[in-house]
Amino acid sequence: MSERSEGKPVSLWVATAGVTGYPALDGDLEVDTAVIGAGIAGLTAALALKRAGHSVAVVEAARVGTGVTGHTTGKVTSLHRLAYTALADRHGVDTARGYGQANQAAVEHIARVVSAERIDCDFRRVANFSYAETDEALALVRDEAALAAGLGLPSVFTSDVPLPFAVKGAVRFENQAQFHAVKYLQGLARAVDGGGSFVFEESRAVALRDGSPAIVETGRGSVRARDVIVATNVPFGDGGFFDARCLLHRSYVVASRAGSLPLEGTYISVDDPMRSILAVQVEGTGYLLAGGEGHPAGESVDSTERYRRLAAFSRDRLGAGGAEFRWSTQDGLPIDGLPFVGIMPPSASHVHVITGLRKWGLSNGTAAALILADTLCGRVNPWARVFDSNRATPAVSVARPVDRDGPAAGHALPAPGEGSVVERDGEKVAVYADPAGKLRAVSAVCTHLGCTVEFNSADVTWDCPCHGSRFATDGTVIQGPASTSLVPRPSPFGQP
Ligand code: FES
């Protein structure tokens, strides 16, 4: 791992949670519900179903918490910047109310689960703020606060904002929360596993068949189930055209050592550039988290510069010390602003999906999971209609920021900690040199649709510029739409 002034390229949550050791699925199994993906949506649904008397099996391609949930900020809130104004304008007040109530119920559900399952995850109740620094933004937060209060949410407008720099006012939601995202997921997994239900790790789903039973196949086994929930961020086996209904968006977080300024509450700016802020204590050490610098996935950007700006913001405006950790992730922004929860695709009978959590996945993912748990238990969920995966949605044609062939391949040996795409016998090979100079080579051809990957030196990953797939330096998929790894190749340089 390369260490720089922006800290280690690993999520604070992943780095401090310890590692789980659930077995890989080996053989065939039959349960009531199979869940693909051990993030917050999949595990929340699995536990709710288990507590309702169902048997469940969760299959996770990597380890619990190492996906998108482990790369969030850890905010648990129903205040999503200015979401209610936008949703009410677009869909009407009833839909905005449904979205808000589902998310607020998710916050309370998480609090109940933490307590009922005795999950030690640094869960804390805090106020959450969307703050304005300009007169223009001030008018927006006043409107948002009034609208949200009218929807029955715990919202007020305040000009008393406990940030260490001057702001004009904010929407304040009471009794929201923050937690250690991976420790929470590990607690969910502990509660799911056992008593006829299972968590399997390092068990990537490779095929999915609808029917009675529906079948999920992994490399070494299969799960037959009455129902399957696909909770993999970018849906595995996408039959619902979600790639045309969601924009995949990247965002970045830097965790710096907390300075001497106390910071209570969690925050997001309404003015641009958007900044998401909170303070956390992990194992006795205080950190300040600053998130932002988002952009469409696949856009070629200087990630190092983005991390630098977040670290500088924490230092200059929040009095933070040096950066310790940096991470990024991607999430789907549904183009009509509402997550997708329900049957996938419309013609399916037993395959359900959760996607498009719009970067507020801790609450939206929980809300979505509870909707599906109700559906599978034959209960009516009051918010299912708002999140319906088969609602009419305008489609986007996603602009491809670069040409499919990517940059020209070179011939140079990468420096330690760097990677480069080189051409050998007409084949493009992605070569990474670890900090000790040891080379690791994989095919540079993205397994989704064949674009050429590029090295992201800030995150130490191979990223695809076409639709945003990301791969570790050993070729393992970190984020889809690709679902299979980059194939190992001999190093074109041998091993210097
Ligand atoms: Fe689509 Fe790479 S070709 S993500």
Side-chain angles (χ1 to χ4, degrees), residues 22 26 65 78 82 130 281 304 309 337 382:
Y22 295 99
D26 197 352
S78 60
L82 297 177
S130 294
Q281 282 275 336
T304 300
R309 286 199 285 261

Side-chain angles (χ1 to χ4, degrees), residues 164 254-261 263 278 286-290 310-324:
V254 169
S256 305
R257 286 298 277 266
S260 53
L261 299 170
L263 187 67
L278 69 158
Y287 299 92
L288 270 171
L289 271 57
L310 291 172
F313 171 83
S314 294
R315 194 177 57 238
D316 299 345
R317 302 203 72 190
L318 302 167
E324 297 277 328

Side-chain angles (χ1 to χ4, degrees), residues 25 36 59-61 202-209 215-223 232 236-237 477 483-485:
L25 174 64
I36 308 177
V59 294
E60 161 59 40
E202 299 192 332
S203 302
R204 181 176 293 281
V206 295
L208 169 58
R209 263 178 290 150
I215 301 174
V216 178
E217 287 178 16
T218 65
R220 286 161 45 195
S222 70
V223 184
T232 51
F236 170 77
V477 179
S483 60
T484 52
S485 303

Side-chain angles (χ1 to χ4, degrees), residues 362-419:
L362 297 181
S363 58
N364 264 325
T366 302
L370 298 179
I371 289 170
L372 276 192
D374 276 351
T375 303
L376 299 191
C377 291
R379 297 188 294 249
V380 174
N381 182 289
W383 308 300
R385 180 192 56 79
V386 172
F387 291 71
D388 180 8
S389 54
N390 290 308
R391 65 182 180 270
T393 322
V396 286
S397 79
V398 182
R400 304 304 180 214
V402 295
D403 125 332
R404 285 177 54 86
D405 292 334
H411 300 281
L413 179 68
E418 292 297 330

Side-chain angles (χ1 to χ4, degrees), residues 19-20 38 41-42 57 59 102 106 144 194 211 215-216 243 250 253 393 404 451 496:
V19 183
T20 45
V59 294
E144 178 81 356
I215 301 174
V216 178
D243 57 345
R250 171 87 61 93
V253 184
T393 322
R404 285 177 54 86
C451 291

Side-chain angles (χ1 to χ4, degrees), residues 154-165:
S155 167
V156 290
F157 170 80
T158 180
S159 47
D160 180 15
V161 184
L163 276 168
F165 53 87

Side-chain angles (χ1 to χ4, degrees), residues 3-8 254-255 304 307-308 311 323-326:
E3 290 197 32
R4 327 164 174 240
S5 56
E6 302 80 38
K8 297 184 193 115
V254 169
T304 300
Y307 285 122
R308 245 185 231 129
E324 297 277 328
F325 301 95
R326 65 179 194 269

Side-chain angles (χ1 to χ4, degrees), residues 40 43-49 51 76 105-121 123 125 179 181 183-192 362 366-367 369-370:
I40 194 161
L43 286 170
T44 302
L47 182 57
L49 288 164
R51 293 289 177 248
V76 179
V107 174
E108 300 310 321
H109 178 83
I110 289 169
R112 275 196 304 278
V113 169
V114 167
S115 157
E117 308 293 344
R118 294 193 173 83
I119 300 176
D120 182 7
C121 61
F123 181 87
R125 289 288 194 171
F179 65 9
K183 287 184 183 174
Y184 179 67
L185 288 196
Q186 292 181 347
L188 290 181
R190 260 194 309 277
V192 167
L362 297 181
T366 302
L370 298 179

